[in-house]
Amino acid sequence: MDLRVAVVGASLGGLSVANVLQHLGAHVEVFECFPKGFHTRGGALGAVDTELVREIRGDAGSSGHRQIKGHGHFYGDLWQYFYEGLEEGTVHFGVDVQEVLEASSKAPQLLLSDGPREFDLIVGADGGKSSIRPYVTKKLPTYAGYTLWRGLVPTKGIAGPPSGSATIGGAEYQTLGFPCPGPEDTGTLWNCGVYMAIPEINVEAPTRNRQVREGMKKVPDWFIPFVRHFFGDTNAKFWEECSEKGKVSPHPVWELAADRVVNGRIILLGDAAHMASPRTGAGAYTAMSDAVMLGAALQREKTLEEALQIYNDDTVKRGQQLFQQSRQAASYFAPSGWKPVSPAKLLEDALLRRKAEEAKSEKGLIKQFQGCFR
Ligand SMILES: Cc1cc2nc3c(=O)[nH]c(=O)nc-3n(C[C@H](O)[C@H](O)[C@H](O)COP(=O)(O)OP(=O)(O)OC[C@H]3O[C@@H](n4cnc5c(N)ncnc54)[C@H](O)[C@@H]3O)c2cc1C
């Protein structure tokens, strides 16, 4: 296949499609704005389809990489596995793609720091904050009404994982986690989360470099007291240790099902095309499936245009299914009719109520005590 392909983004989606297209004989170049690879990036995927992963790498049927497992997979290992499947020099790190020129031509150009470069196909695998998306669709992500606070910390010496839930004002607040392999020098990590309804006013739209407002950049003062009050002391101790010895970061949940993922020779893949709650456990899986679907359509169809049309229809459909799964998750964490109340305010109200109850029962005790002496 004599195609010049540019892939923007070298995360799981970008490396998957680069593997698939390279096996089909395309000339693939991947441009990633981060200065280096993600082999030590923390975090885990709940479940991994090992057959899909091997198919992407071209190892289908073999035992594949010994570290590719079905559950609790460390992101960095999977990334490395895909990276090693590519020809040397395929990925260019530290290249921040800003613009596409001649977007509607059959040879669109990527504007790179050394000038424009022409390709036959541009794949936007640049995630939820995609710069390529506006060249394909006007559809924008919408906020799901809640945020996942993710915690990563070595398991050594830290009792966990946390587990607890509370229903407040009709919304479910939940903390949970599981162990996963970490980078070699760290060992096993607790990969944990707190799902928390948070009003949209406290988060930022998923544009480059902006996720949350100032008050949520560090672990906010109310976070540990909130966990203590609603999930108990053991969970609070875990999150305290996690924020001191590991990393706690907020991930506002945004959702998107694009109405189209192909516009001429520019296409979207992964989170650039569809965004869903981490609770679905299917975002990375869907990005990998997109890559495999694109490869299959290119192999089967006679022309590039026909293959891209099939890719568009299939990916839009799967994106809509993922979106529905994500909406289902939102019905627990930010149900329709939920009145946006910040966790800080909920905590303040709960503590005031507790104080009032304590004062009332103290009064009652005093009365009882006085009664004994009448
Ligand atoms: C806390 C959390 C837990 C999750 N758990 C799971 C799970 O268990 N299972 C699952 O399947 N999914 C899970 N997901 C979802 C999954 O992480 C995403 O769906 C997946 O990473 C999407 O991959 P992607 O390659 O499309 O985009 P991304 O991973 O977002 O990668 C986009 C890449 O593009 C690069 N980039 C962006 N803009 C540019 C530019 N202009 N120029 C060059 N490079 C650029 C970025 O630096 C990045 O490397 C989880 C997500 C979160 C937040």
Side-chain angles (χ1 to χ4, degrees), residues 1-6 26-28 106-107 118-122:
M1 179 185 293
D2 201 20
L3 267 189
R4 296 166 302 169
V5 184
H27 308 283
V28 185
K106 284 201 166 172
E118 199 178 275
F119 293 92
D120 301 309
L121 185 65
I122 293 176

Side-chain angles (χ1 to χ4, degrees), residues 18 161 223 246-248 325 366:
F223 184 82
K247 195 178 165 202
V248 176
Q325 286 174 35
I366 292 169

Side-chain angles (χ1 to χ4, degrees), residues 9 11 13 32-33 38 45-46 95-97 126-127 208 270-271 281-285:
S11 178
E32 167 56 52
C33 60
F38 301 133
L45 301 178
V95 183
D96 195 336
V97 173
D126 52 344
R208 303 284 300 278
D271 277 15
Y285 169 79

Side-chain angles (χ1 to χ4, degrees), residues 54-171:
R54 289 191 191 119
E55 194 179 337
I56 290 167
R57 248 292 295 259
D59 283 343
S62 81
S63 61
H65 197 278
R66 66 185 161 81
Q67 286 178 321
I68 300 304
K69 299 187 304 151
H71 189 80
H73 211 289
F74 179 55
Y75 175 99
D77 286 343
L78 196 52
W79 185 89
Q80 183 74 16
Y81 179 63
F82 286 149
Y83 184 73
E84 284 172 2
L86 296 170
E87 286 164 19
E88 221 178 303
T90 302
V91 186
H92 308 288
F93 292 104
V95 183
D96 195 336
V97 173
Q98 301 288 345
E99 217 180 310
V100 177
L101 305 174
E102 305 292 335
S104 50
S105 88
K106 284 201 166 172
Q109 300 168 0
L110 273 191
L111 185 57
L112 304 171
S113 56
D114 55 351
R117 287 266 310 279
E118 199 178 275
F119 293 92
D120 301 309
L121 185 65
I122 293 176
V123 183
D126 52 344
K129 303 167 199 168
S130 176
S131 310
I132 303 299
R133 190 188 294 133
Y135 296 99
V136 177
T137 174
K138 289 196 168 64
K139 204 101 191 253
L140 295 172
T142 48
Y143 180 54
Y146 64 103
T147 288
L148 169 62
W149 293 86
R150 191 177 65 170
L152 284 171
V153 66
T155 53
K156 204 165 173 221
I158 298 184
S163 166
S165 68
T167 308
I168 314 166

